[in-house]
Every structure is written in structure tokens, then in C-alpha cells.
Amino acid sequence: MSSNYSEKGQEGRRIEDKPKDLSNGLKFFGNRLCPYAHRSWWTAIEKGISMDYIHIDLGANYPSWYQEVNPSEEVPCLFDEGKRITESIIIDEYFEEKWSKQGTQLMPNDYVERAEVRRFINWFCSSGVMAPAHKLTRNQDPSTLR
């Protein structure tokens, strides 16, 4: 397990079957093309968190066993010592709170400033910025990016 991913494609390992034991360690299920999973992956990197990143193919190559891991079938999904946490913003705050003294401090100490950061995150996610970013990352045809 390592959070030291330095090259494209190292974001997660691929597995054929559901992990046998989700109750030990930190397991992160994501996809490098999903901006929501990517956001949580970068949060873990900034916090210096070591985790087992398991790549989940989306679309037609979606692993059938993943519904057992996360019934909503979305990424990201985090298991910390058997406890499931979903939704990227919630995972990001979990990382910041649990590893508050480690890595980069991502939230200010001041309550009002922290509220402003949360307001900005809410605006960014609800203003239509994330949806085009998601579409852009899923686009595999470079000619349509001009």
C-alpha cells in the first residue's frame, strides 16, 4: 500500500474478485477518470495517507462484485477498518478530520473560514463545473476537445 503514485496509471490496482477482507486497513475504490474519485485520491495524497487503491472500471466493464462493496455502485468508496464511507466530499472531510495533524492542512482552523471553504465547494459542485469536468475526463476522442 502506498500513496506515492508518480505516473499515470498507478492510481489503482485492478483485481478480478471482491476483496476478501474489507475489515483491515484502508481500501479506496475509485476510477482515475472520475473527477469525484480523483478529488478524494488527491486529498489522500495531500494528507500523506497510505491506502490500498483498487481501480473500478466503469460502464460496460464494471465488475459485478462491486455492488456488494458499494450498493450505490458509485466511486469513490472508502473502507476504513470495515467501515464504509461514500461520496467524495464526505471522504475528503473524513481524511482531513482523521489525519488532521498529517500532511497538508486542507481546512482552516477558524469556523467562519471553514464555512466559507464549504460554501465554495458547494458552489463549485452545484454550479455546473463538475459535470463538464466529468464529461471531459470520460471523453476518449481528442478531436472533440478543440
Side-chain angles (χ1 to χ4, degrees):
M1 282 192 299
S2 173
S3 61
N4 184 19
Y5 304 107
S6 60
E7 295 181 24
K8 183 175 174 59
Q10 290 183 329
E11 293 92 340
R13 66 185 176 94
R14 296 174 185 270
I15 59 174
E16 297 297 320
D17 299 312
K18 174 186 167 193
K20 295 189 182 353
D21 188 6
L22 294 172
S23 64
N24 289 318
L26 195 62
K27 292 177 179 56
F28 180 83
F29 298 85
N31 181 294
R32 67 179 167 259
L33 297 180
C34 173
Y36 306 101
H38 220 67
R39 174 174 52 203
S40 294
W41 174 63
W42 274 107
T43 300
I45 289 172
E46 287 296 318
K47 297 303 294 176
I49 299 168
S50 180
M51 62 184 184
D52 183 7
Y53 187 133
I54 300 166
H55 180 84
I56 300 297
D57 284 325
L58 304 176
N61 296 324
Y62 200 75
S64 59
W65 54 262
Y66 187 61
Q67 186 176 23
E68 294 175 47
V69 171
N70 185 7
S72 73
E73 298 182 343
E74 296 175 339
V75 294
C77 177
L78 177 74
F79 272 81
D80 188 0
E81 302 298 334
K83 306 288 193 273
R84 179 178 40 228
I85 303 166
T86 60
E87 300 297 329
S88 60
I89 291 174
I90 295 168
I91 292 170
D92 297 347
E93 288 204 16
Y94 179 78
F95 285 158
E96 176 67 2
E97 291 174 8
K98 184 168 181 179
W99 287 277
S100 63
K101 305 277 190 258
Q102 180 176 315
T104 304
Q105 181 179 348
L106 300 174
M107 294 293 276
N109 292 325
D110 180 79
Y111 297 110
V112 174
E113 290 176 8
R114 213 168 29 239
E116 275 300 302
V117 169
R118 288 185 177 119
R119 185 194 61 74
F120 176 77
I121 291 169
N122 182 61
W123 169 83
F124 185 82
C125 293
S126 64
S127 69
V129 174
M130 285 301 285
H134 190 248
K135 186 177 178 182
L136 180 64
T137 60
R138 294 187 62 151
N139 185 359
Q140 299 299 307
D141 182 2
S143 68
T144 63
L145 299 177
R146 296 183 189 138

